[in-house]
Amino acid sequence: RVDANQSGSATLTEWTKLMYLIELGTWPDLDFDELTRAVKVMSDAAEKWHHAGGNWFRIFAAIDTDESGTLSYTELRNCIRTPFPGLRLTAAELPEKTIQGMWKKLDSEGEIEIPVSKFMSFIRKHGAVEPTIRMTEQSKRRRGLNKMRSELPEAPDRSNDELRAIIANLERGLNGYFASKGFHSNGSSEGNWSRFFRESDADGSGRLNYLEFANSLFRKLGKWLTIAQEDVRALWNLLDQDMSMEVTQREMMLAIYRLEVETWPEIDDVEIEKTITKLNASLKRRMNAEGNWYKAFNLVDTEGTGRLKFQDLRDLVRDTFRGLAINTKKLPDSILKAFWKRLDSDLSGDVTMATFMNFVRKHAGQKNSMHRLTEYSKKRRGIEDKKEDYDYTQEIAIAPTYDKETLAAVASRLTLAIHDWVVSCCLRVDSTNPNLWPRFIDEIEKERPSRVTFNELLKGLQKTLHVVSENNEDFSKDGDPRAPVSQAQIMAFWRETEKFCGGEVTSQGIDNAIYRLQLQTWPVLAVSELQRIVEAMNNAADKWHRSSGNWYKVFVACDSDGSGTLTCQELFDVVRKGYPSLSIPSRVISDEGLRGLWRAVDKNQTGLIDAKEFMSFMRLHGAQLSMHKLTAYSQRLRGMSPVVSHQPAVAAAPPRSREELQNLARRLVHELSKSFHKRRGTVLSDQDLWALFFKEADHKKNGRLTFFQLETHLKESLCRQSSKQAALASCSSTMPMSAGNSGGGADSQALTLAPHELAIVDPAEELVTRTLRHGDLLAIWHAIAGELGVTEVSANDWRVGLYRLELESWPDASDDDIMMVVRKISVQADKWYRAGGNWYKIFKLVQGANASDMIGHRDFFDIIRRPLPSLAMTEKQLSDRELKGLWKALDVDRSGDVDVPEFMCFMRRWEVKWGVSHSPKAAEGSIVHRARMQAAATESGKSARLTDEAMALLSRNVASLSDATLKEAYATWGLEWDGYITEWDFLQVVRELGGIGEDRLDDDGVHAAWCHMAGSSSGKVFKNALLMLGYA
């Protein structure tokens, strides 16, 4: 790793940089919100001490003590921690881990020192939107900004997807407008927006206010637009992020660009390298400039600005005259956009030549560099090409499936082995942050820090830890915690770990997988038990800190490192330890109860919870303990009765079988879908259907509904009958009218109810929809909300609950059935689209116009059944029962949706099981083919496994042997006793000292016993290995 350029020597600079990168890799990774909070704290401190909040150049000047124009980590930390002229921030205000994580994000390229431009871009991206230069009140009045702000209508809520649709409509209007004026568009909207801004800026100030922007839009683009004034107001809210009532051209373009880039896909380093390889191949073919990225940059930087935009990159790739002429079939636009998204990491809209060169060289690898070693140089430096590793893909796919408890035990065994290895290396282990897996992975993989493949992990476990079982016996979760682990169990553990990682895993990925496995073995507590634990914690908080119901104060007490997040260990410590912790003994809250509490709090299984998650959970299960309670006087002033509750309690669930609940749920979804189709003329998915329904019913705008809100809105939407008609419908089900009296006889008169008679109706029989009654809806509510333990549900909770009710009635498909269905779908896809086995293409076909990278079961069923361009599979080709069984096996988490990794991993795993593999095959006669044949021959020539009977026989007969017995026997045989037994002597020891004849244990059995005892030893073992057979 030191000799990165393979020159055969290392300089002091290279060594220093390597040590720096190793330390930098151990620092935490912060998300966008954490970085924004850190920058906000620094800005407030700069405002306090220097009156420079928002003036980031002045802040940089304060940090850059040596006036070098660059910034190091030491300078940044000293500025934050030291007194005036520093920012004087304590560890409680800005923890050390936050500073390290912020620097890790700043120095993403590993440069040790960063320039002022990079610091400014980073801080402006994550900093406050407040401008450095503020207008005075007189300037605002002269420009009419205060009056404009007061007259500006309130901005309506628009999601990012809706804003993108508005911008797309405006861009179509710009294209039409400038086309009518004779301007040519090169496919980029940037030029049209620039021309529009210049035409709209009548006073030449370089700024537009809202009225200029809106009036110019509707005046110039009116006949091409299909948006309303409210949409333009919402868009202005996006453009004018600093609320100055004016925007510059740069602000407008940057806001539109960042909104667009947000939807672009993400790719990993492997795909980046593949893309660079394609670019490099085209460079070689068209310009004979293989690896010359400086020349590639200058191809599009015709004006010599030294900066590159996405349109320039696309011109470089697509242009057939001056560019590389790579079509969309070889390099799709989605990959090109993802490549640019990684390149423009600070979302500034353009990149410098240095950034472009560093990025490409970092990910290009030796094969895409213009500087290559000759075979003679490689031989002189002792560099040899690596042989291809064995492909374990098929073995991993067909490895046995173990339960979560066994996989958690395997993970614990591997972690314990790494701990023993770290201790044996005389390395320090921190109990709070042991950092075991990163150390181990860095040891076994020197070239790519913190990333390993399965081959590398298996070799490390075999050669470094010696933890893999020689006879491939499974590790028992109830056995010796330091027993070996079988290769099959390691494959199952790898399959669980790399489920969403694509063939390689990081140390963080392994830690997360182990945490999820352990978490799934922890108990699931009932709602009543959670409420009891919350009450016990509240009582202890009130006893020691006088903070009953103040969950934020409890959270701060738990957050020992002041990071703003809480780990499982921190929660356990604050509950168990003495003052200032809560000091709750195990007889009040058991360890199992604490584990169940953490499992309930950490629903997303990230291992960390923030203050919002903690407080929401505690308030949900401890509502009666809240510190915010109205007095009787306050309730009377607000018109609230302190005794009578405005919200009646939900009645108990009426008896309904699971089959009845499933039928009721299907009827409810069918009625609602039919109602929306009738009103809006469109067919919605279940997710959009319930999201729209909840949006209409949620008058409080909190995203959740109670049972009574749900029932009321269902009545308003689906039950169009009057109360009298509802009563008639209820009575008609129990009092049928005879045909003879239908014209006004006694029975007909009996059905004509008076108004006072209509009130005497069983509430459970009251119609909520045209076919569902109050009792039916109440039973469904208890089945969904009762399982969640909540009194309010969100649209997603309700949709998933109804889906799971329906899923229970679907069949469980066997392995053979699943394999058959997957094969049928692959054959049909190959028939119509030549896409057999191309599951990514099939997923995109199923996904259709949905841009969320998720598909639901109805989308999946539609693409199977509908005619072209779908797969058009009939009931005879693939029955509904088989299709439902496949989906039930595919949707493991029962969320109702699957994404690309879930779909492709599932389909490929079953494809491998029927013998189809997409991995490249070694050519017959090649080095890899001969190595595999030799490994197979070696495996077949291994000695037989030692049977249990033979082991028991050896255990009985060698139990009486001792060191003195062996020494005396060796003297009788004329041999020198040195404490070691060779393979040649072992047969004589068994036959003569053990008294085991060939009729009881033949020579092959003795050889198997030797292999079991000696393992990989070279020809001899110490005496203790023989004597320990007595304890086998």
Short mmCIF file of all heavy atoms in Angstrom, two decimals, residues 910-946:
data_model
loop_
_atom_site.label_atom_id
_atom_site.label_comp_id
_atom_site.label_asym_id
_atom_site.label_seq_id
_atom_site.Cartn_x
_atom_site.Cartn_y
_atom_site.Cartn_z
N TRP A 910 -32.06 -18.43 -7.41
CA TRP A 910 -32.81 -19.60 -7.90
C TRP A 910 -32.34 -20.02 -9.28
O TRP A 910 -32.40 -21.20 -9.64
CB TRP A 910 -34.31 -19.27 -7.91
CG TRP A 910 -34.87 -19.27 -6.54
CD1 TRP A 910 -35.15 -18.20 -5.76
CD2 TRP A 910 -35.17 -20.41 -5.74
NE1 TRP A 910 -35.61 -18.58 -4.53
CE2 TRP A 910 -35.65 -19.95 -4.48
CE3 TRP A 910 -35.09 -21.79 -5.94
CZ2 TRP A 910 -36.04 -20.80 -3.47
CZ3 TRP A 910 -35.48 -22.64 -4.92
CH2 TRP A 910 -35.94 -22.14 -3.71
N GLU A 911 -31.85 -19.07 -10.07
CA GLU A 911 -31.32 -19.42 -11.38
C GLU A 911 -30.06 -20.27 -11.24
O GLU A 911 -29.86 -21.24 -11.98
CB GLU A 911 -31.01 -18.13 -12.15
CG GLU A 911 -30.88 -18.34 -13.64
CD GLU A 911 -30.70 -17.01 -14.36
OE1 GLU A 911 -30.12 -16.09 -13.76
OE2 GLU A 911 -31.13 -16.89 -15.50
N VAL A 912 -29.23 -19.91 -10.26
CA VAL A 912 -28.02 -20.69 -10.02
C VAL A 912 -28.36 -22.09 -9.55
O VAL A 912 -27.69 -23.07 -9.89
CB VAL A 912 -27.13 -19.96 -8.98
CG1 VAL A 912 -26.02 -20.88 -8.50
CG2 VAL A 912 -26.53 -18.70 -9.59
N LYS A 913 -29.46 -22.23 -8.78
CA LYS A 913 -29.83 -23.55 -8.26
C LYS A 913 -30.24 -24.52 -9.36
O LYS A 913 -30.10 -25.73 -9.19
CB LYS A 913 -30.96 -23.41 -7.23
CG LYS A 913 -30.49 -22.82 -5.91
CD LYS A 913 -31.57 -22.87 -4.85
CE LYS A 913 -31.04 -22.35 -3.52
NZ LYS A 913 -32.05 -22.43 -2.45
N TRP A 914 -30.77 -24.02 -10.47
CA TRP A 914 -31.10 -24.97 -11.54
C TRP A 914 -29.94 -25.11 -12.54
O TRP A 914 -30.07 -25.74 -13.57
CB TRP A 914 -32.40 -24.62 -12.24
CG TRP A 914 -32.38 -23.59 -13.34
CD1 TRP A 914 -31.64 -23.60 -14.48
CD2 TRP A 914 -33.18 -22.42 -13.41
NE1 TRP A 914 -31.91 -22.51 -15.25
CE2 TRP A 914 -32.88 -21.76 -14.62
CE3 TRP A 914 -34.15 -21.86 -12.58
CZ2 TRP A 914 -33.48 -20.59 -15.01
CZ3 TRP A 914 -34.75 -20.69 -12.97
CH2 TRP A 914 -34.41 -20.06 -14.17
N GLY A 915 -28.78 -24.51 -12.18
CA GLY A 915 -27.56 -24.80 -12.94
C GLY A 915 -27.12 -23.70 -13.88
O GLY A 915 -26.17 -23.89 -14.63
N VAL A 916 -27.80 -22.53 -13.86
CA VAL A 916 -27.42 -21.44 -14.76
C VAL A 916 -26.52 -20.49 -14.00
O VAL A 916 -26.88 -20.02 -12.92
CB VAL A 916 -28.67 -20.69 -15.27
CG1 VAL A 916 -28.24 -19.53 -16.16
CG2 VAL A 916 -29.55 -21.65 -16.04
N SER A 917 -25.35 -20.21 -14.51
CA SER A 917 -24.41 -19.31 -13.87
C SER A 917 -23.95 -18.27 -14.88
O SER A 917 -23.67 -18.59 -16.04
CB SER A 917 -23.21 -20.08 -13.32
OG SER A 917 -22.25 -19.19 -12.78
N HIS A 918 -23.89 -17.01 -14.44
CA HIS A 918 -23.46 -15.92 -15.32
C HIS A 918 -21.99 -15.58 -15.13
O HIS A 918 -21.50 -14.64 -15.75
CB HIS A 918 -24.31 -14.67 -15.06
CG HIS A 918 -25.76 -14.89 -15.36
ND1 HIS A 918 -26.25 -14.94 -16.64
CD2 HIS A 918 -26.83 -15.08 -14.53
CE1 HIS A 918 -27.57 -15.15 -16.60
NE2 HIS A 918 -27.92 -15.23 -15.34
N SER A 919 -21.30 -16.32 -14.26
CA SER A 919 -19.88 -16.05 -14.05
C SER A 919 -19.08 -16.61 -15.21
O SER A 919 -19.44 -17.64 -15.78
CB SER A 919 -19.41 -16.67 -12.74
OG SER A 919 -19.64 -18.06 -12.76
N PRO A 920 -17.98 -15.97 -15.59
CA PRO A 920 -17.18 -16.45 -16.72
C PRO A 920 -16.56 -17.81 -16.43
O PRO A 920 -16.12 -18.07 -15.31
CB PRO A 920 -16.11 -15.36 -16.89
CG PRO A 920 -16.05 -14.68 -15.57
CD PRO A 920 -17.43 -14.75 -15.00
N LYS A 921 -16.56 -18.69 -17.44
CA LYS A 921 -16.01 -20.02 -17.27
C LYS A 921 -14.56 -20.04 -17.75
O LYS A 921 -14.21 -19.42 -18.75
CB LYS A 921 -16.84 -21.04 -18.07
CG LYS A 921 -18.28 -21.14 -17.59
CD LYS A 921 -19.04 -22.17 -18.40
CE LYS A 921 -20.50 -22.29 -17.91
NZ LYS A 921 -21.25 -23.27 -18.70
N ALA A 922 -13.75 -20.80 -17.03
CA ALA A 922 -12.35 -20.90 -17.41
C ALA A 922 -12.22 -21.76 -18.65
O ALA A 922 -12.86 -22.81 -18.79
CB ALA A 922 -11.56 -21.51 -16.26
N ALA A 923 -11.38 -21.32 -19.59
CA ALA A 923 -11.15 -22.08 -20.82
C ALA A 923 -10.43 -23.37 -20.50
O ALA A 923 -9.56 -23.42 -19.62
CB ALA A 923 -10.35 -21.24 -21.81
N GLU A 924 -10.80 -24.42 -21.22
CA GLU A 924 -10.19 -25.72 -20.99
C GLU A 924 -8.71 -25.66 -21.35
O GLU A 924 -8.31 -25.21 -22.42
CB GLU A 924 -10.89 -26.78 -21.83
CG GLU A 924 -10.42 -28.19 -21.53
CD GLU A 924 -11.24 -29.24 -22.26
OE1 GLU A 924 -12.23 -28.86 -22.92
OE2 GLU A 924 -10.90 -30.42 -22.15
N GLY A 925 -7.88 -26.11 -20.42
CA GLY A 925 -6.44 -26.08 -20.61
C GLY A 925 -5.76 -24.86 -20.05
O GLY A 925 -4.53 -24.79 -19.99
N SER A 926 -6.56 -23.86 -19.60
CA SER A 926 -5.97 -22.65 -19.03
C SER A 926 -5.44 -22.93 -17.63
O SER A 926 -5.68 -23.98 -17.05
CB SER A 926 -6.99 -21.52 -19.00
OG SER A 926 -8.04 -21.87 -18.12
N ILE A 927 -4.72 -21.95 -17.08
CA ILE A 927 -4.14 -22.10 -15.75
C ILE A 927 -5.24 -22.27 -14.70
O ILE A 927 -5.16 -23.12 -13.80
CB ILE A 927 -3.26 -20.88 -15.41
CG1 ILE A 927 -2.08 -20.81 -16.38
CG2 ILE A 927 -2.77 -20.95 -13.98
CD1 ILE A 927 -1.20 -19.60 -16.19
N VAL A 928 -6.30 -21.47 -14.84
CA VAL A 928 -7.40 -21.55 -13.87
C VAL A 928 -8.08 -22.91 -13.96
O VAL A 928 -8.41 -23.52 -12.93
CB VAL A 928 -8.40 -20.41 -14.14
CG1 VAL A 928 -9.58 -20.53 -13.21
CG2 VAL A 928 -7.73 -19.07 -13.98
N HIS A 929 -8.29 -23.42 -15.19
CA HIS A 929 -8.96 -24.70 -15.35
C HIS A 929 -8.13 -25.83 -14.74
O HIS A 929 -8.64 -26.71 -14.04
CB HIS A 929 -9.20 -24.96 -16.84
CG HIS A 929 -9.92 -26.25 -17.13
ND1 HIS A 929 -9.26 -27.40 -17.49
CD2 HIS A 929 -11.24 -26.57 -17.07
CE1 HIS A 929 -10.13 -28.38 -17.66
NE2 HIS A 929 -11.34 -27.90 -17.41
N ARG A 930 -6.79 -25.81 -15.00
CA ARG A 930 -5.93 -26.85 -14.43
C ARG A 930 -5.90 -26.77 -12.91
O ARG A 930 -5.88 -27.80 -12.22
CB ARG A 930 -4.52 -26.71 -15.00
CG ARG A 930 -4.44 -27.02 -16.50
CD ARG A 930 -3.00 -27.32 -16.90
NE ARG A 930 -2.11 -26.21 -16.62
CZ ARG A 930 -1.86 -25.22 -17.48
NH1 ARG A 930 -2.45 -25.20 -18.66
NH2 ARG A 930 -1.02 -24.25 -17.16
N ALA A 931 -5.92 -25.53 -12.35
CA ALA A 931 -5.90 -25.39 -10.89
C ALA A 931 -7.18 -25.95 -10.28
O ALA A 931 -7.16 -26.60 -9.22
CB ALA A 931 -5.74 -23.91 -10.53
N ARG A 932 -8.32 -25.71 -10.93
CA ARG A 932 -9.58 -26.24 -10.40
C ARG A 932 -9.61 -27.77 -10.48
O ARG A 932 -10.10 -28.45 -9.57
CB ARG A 932 -10.75 -25.65 -11.17
CG ARG A 932 -10.96 -24.16 -10.92
CD ARG A 932 -12.13 -23.62 -11.71
NE ARG A 932 -12.30 -22.18 -11.47
CZ ARG A 932 -13.20 -21.42 -12.10
NH1 ARG A 932 -14.01 -21.97 -13.00
NH2 ARG A 932 -13.29 -20.14 -11.83
N MET A 933 -9.11 -28.34 -11.58
CA MET A 933 -9.06 -29.79 -11.70
C MET A 933 -8.15 -30.40 -10.65
O MET A 933 -8.47 -31.43 -10.05
CB MET A 933 -8.57 -30.16 -13.11
CG MET A 933 -9.51 -29.73 -14.24
SD MET A 933 -11.10 -30.60 -14.18
CE MET A 933 -10.56 -32.24 -14.57
N GLN A 934 -7.01 -29.75 -10.37
CA GLN A 934 -6.10 -30.26 -9.36
C GLN A 934 -6.72 -30.18 -7.97
O GLN A 934 -6.57 -31.09 -7.15
CB GLN A 934 -4.79 -29.48 -9.40
CG GLN A 934 -3.72 -30.01 -8.44
CD GLN A 934 -2.42 -29.22 -8.56
OE1 GLN A 934 -2.32 -28.32 -9.37
NE2 GLN A 934 -1.43 -29.59 -7.76
N ALA A 935 -7.45 -29.08 -7.70
CA ALA A 935 -8.11 -28.94 -6.39
C ALA A 935 -9.18 -30.01 -6.21
O ALA A 935 -9.34 -30.58 -5.12
CB ALA A 935 -8.72 -27.55 -6.26
N ALA A 936 -9.91 -30.31 -7.31
CA ALA A 936 -10.94 -31.36 -7.21
C ALA A 936 -10.31 -32.72 -6.98
O ALA A 936 -10.82 -33.54 -6.20
CB ALA A 936 -11.77 -31.37 -8.51
N ALA A 937 -9.16 -33.00 -7.64
CA ALA A 937 -8.49 -34.27 -7.43
C ALA A 937 -7.96 -34.39 -6.01
O ALA A 937 -8.03 -35.44 -5.37
CB ALA A 937 -7.35 -34.41 -8.44
N THR A 938 -7.43 -33.27 -5.49
CA THR A 938 -6.93 -33.28 -4.11
C THR A 938 -8.05 -33.54 -3.13
O THR A 938 -7.91 -34.27 -2.15
CB THR A 938 -6.26 -31.94 -3.79
OG1 THR A 938 -5.23 -31.71 -4.76
CG2 THR A 938 -5.66 -31.94 -2.40
N GLU A 939 -9.19 -32.92 -3.38
CA GLU A 939 -10.34 -33.09 -2.49
C GLU A 939 -10.81 -34.54 -2.49
O GLU A 939 -11.17 -35.11 -1.45
CB GLU A 939 -11.47 -32.17 -2.95
CG GLU A 939 -12.69 -32.17 -2.05
CD GLU A 939 -12.42 -31.54 -0.72
OE1 GLU A 939 -11.48 -30.72 -0.63
OE2 GLU A 939 -13.13 -31.87 0.26
N SER A 940 -10.83 -35.17 -3.69
CA SER A 940 -11.29 -36.56 -3.77
C SER A 940 -10.29 -37.51 -3.14
O SER A 940 -10.65 -38.63 -2.74
CB SER A 940 -11.53 -36.93 -5.23
OG SER A 940 -10.30 -36.86 -5.95
N GLY A 941 -9.01 -37.11 -3.05
CA GLY A 941 -8.00 -38.01 -2.48
C GLY A 941 -7.80 -37.84 -1.00
O GLY A 941 -6.89 -38.46 -0.42
N LYS A 942 -8.60 -37.02 -0.35
CA LYS A 942 -8.46 -36.84 1.10
C LYS A 942 -8.85 -38.11 1.84
O LYS A 942 -9.66 -38.90 1.37
CB LYS A 942 -9.32 -35.66 1.58
CG LYS A 942 -8.77 -34.30 1.16
CD LYS A 942 -9.59 -33.18 1.74
CE LYS A 942 -9.02 -31.83 1.37
NZ LYS A 942 -9.84 -30.72 1.91
N SER A 943 -8.28 -38.26 2.99
CA SER A 943 -8.55 -39.45 3.80
C SER A 943 -9.98 -39.44 4.31
O SER A 943 -10.62 -38.40 4.40
CB SER A 943 -7.59 -39.52 4.98
OG SER A 943 -7.74 -38.36 5.78
N ALA A 944 -10.44 -40.64 4.67
CA ALA A 944 -11.80 -40.77 5.15
C ALA A 944 -11.96 -40.07 6.49
O ALA A 944 -11.02 -39.93 7.26
CB ALA A 944 -12.18 -42.24 5.27
N ARG A 945 -13.16 -39.65 6.77
CA ARG A 945 -13.46 -38.98 8.04
C ARG A 945 -13.44 -39.99 9.17
O ARG A 945 -13.91 -41.13 9.03
CB ARG A 945 -14.82 -38.30 7.94
CG ARG A 945 -15.27 -37.59 9.19
CD ARG A 945 -16.62 -36.94 8.97
NE ARG A 945 -17.11 -36.32 10.19
CZ ARG A 945 -17.81 -36.94 11.10
NH1 ARG A 945 -18.12 -38.21 10.93
NH2 ARG A 945 -18.22 -36.32 12.20
N LEU A 946 -12.90 -39.62 10.32
CA LEU A 946 -12.83 -40.49 11.49
C LEU A 946 -14.23 -40.67 12.05
O LEU A 946 -14.91 -39.71 12.40
CB LEU A 946 -11.91 -39.87 12.55
CG LEU A 946 -11.60 -40.73 13.77
CD1 LEU A 946 -10.86 -42.00 13.35
CD2 LEU A 946 -10.77 -39.95 14.78
#
